[in-house]
Structures are given as C-alpha cells and as structure tokens.
Amino acid sequence: MCRLFINADPNLWQSQTRSMRIGGMATSVRLETLFWNVLEELGARDGLSVSQLIARLYQESLDEGHDLENFASFLRVCCARYLSLQLSQDIPHDRSIPIRSLDADRILERERSRNGAKRPRAASGATLHA
C-alpha cells in the first residue's frame, strides 16, 4: 500500500512560494506542488488564474466571516475537498463544467446528510495571515 505514496514523484511534495495580491495586499503563499496543481485545475474550470482563484476564495471567506489565520491550510483543505467531492460525484470529473454552475447548497446538503453533520457556523474576526 505505502509504495503508492512513497514512490510518487517527489516533486509533488516540494514546496513552492508564489507571490500575488490578495485583498489589495502583496503577499506570498507557500504550498506543495500537488496543491498548486489542484488549484490550477480548480481555477481553470471557471476561467480563473490561480491568483484570481485564491483572491476570490479569500474574499468570499471573509464575506462569510471565517477566520483565515492559517490561509495556506485553508487552501490545502479546499484542494482536498475538491478532490473528495469529485470522488463522491458531487463535482463532475468533466473539467469543462464550471464550479460556479453547480448547485452549492444542494451539494453541501447532500454532504451533511452523508456525514450526519450540522450546518457550520461562521467564525468572526477574519484577518489575512498568508
């Protein structure tokens, strides 16, 4: 079992730092190559560059009242959720189908039903610490 992970391309876990503007501020984000690859795919589905996608995720998270103290971890979780939602077939594998065209409320409700989870509460006091 472990050979599937141990013998993977070592470049996938190499960290890369990318500079960008988020919320009008110049900043940098450090993630492993695998996560950058997933963010590129995710953004491309909606015609967004990685920087545009990250800026949108950041702003929409703030709008929901989330605390983004560890923004890199948030981005990693976004990548994992994207892949997980593809596995559950809530997000189609067809990359030509934009994420924005999906019924997010319906997908979240199905996910909560599967997990027996309650609707999450928004946190307050979000700040940029990328």
Side-chain angles (χ1 to χ4, degrees), residues 64-94:
E64 288 292 319
H66 294 295
D67 181 1
L68 297 177
E69 188 171 320
N70 192 341
F71 191 59
S73 290
F74 168 75
L75 292 174
R76 287 183 190 93
V77 170
C78 288
C79 291
R81 283 188 50 72
Y82 170 68
L83 297 172
S84 176
L85 289 168
Q86 280 187 316
L87 285 174
S88 67
Q89 300 179 6
D90 288 305
I91 291 179
H93 289 278
D94 182 349

Side-chain angles (χ1 to χ4, degrees), residues 82-127:
Y82 170 68
L83 297 172
S84 176
L85 289 168
Q86 280 187 316
L87 285 174
S88 67
Q89 300 179 6
D90 288 305
I91 291 179
H93 289 278
D94 182 349
R95 295 178 187 176
S96 69
I97 299 172
I99 300 298
R100 70 177 175 274
S101 72
L102 304 176
D103 185 343
D105 291 332
R106 188 168 153 224
I107 291 170
L108 290 167
E109 189 58 41
R110 278 196 311 256
E111 183 182 38
R112 281 191 288 273
S113 293
R114 277 193 308 272
N115 298 333
K118 295 180 181 177
R119 184 177 199 124
R121 295 181 189 206
S124 61
T127 58

Side-chain angles (χ1 to χ4, degrees), residues 1-101:
M1 173 192 96
C2 293
R3 287 185 54 222
L4 289 173
F5 306 105
I6 294 168
N7 293 328
D9 180 357
N11 290 322
L12 293 174
W13 64 78
Q14 297 301 313
S15 292
Q16 297 177 12
T17 301
R18 297 191 188 183
S19 298
M20 61 192 69
R21 295 190 83 70
I22 301 176
M25 295 175 41
T27 190
S28 61
V29 178
R30 185 171 184 85
L31 295 171
E32 294 75 17
T33 303
L34 175 67
F35 295 112
W36 288 118
N37 293 345
V38 173
L39 288 170
E40 286 171 7
E41 178 180 319
L42 183 54
R45 290 183 74 143
D46 283 296
L48 300 172
S49 69
V50 172
S51 294
Q52 290 170 322
L53 172 66
I54 289 173
R56 182 168 291 176
L57 287 169
Y58 178 78
Q59 188 57 54
E60 289 183 13
S61 294
L62 286 180
D63 293 346
E64 288 292 319
H66 294 295
D67 181 1
L68 297 177
E69 188 171 320
N70 192 341
F71 191 59
S73 290
F74 168 75
L75 292 174
R76 287 183 190 93
V77 170
C78 288
C79 291
R81 283 188 50 72
Y82 170 68
L83 297 172
S84 176
L85 289 168
Q86 280 187 316
L87 285 174
S88 67
Q89 300 179 6
D90 288 305
I91 291 179
H93 289 278
D94 182 349
R95 295 178 187 176
S96 69
I97 299 172
I99 300 298
R100 70 177 175 274
S101 72

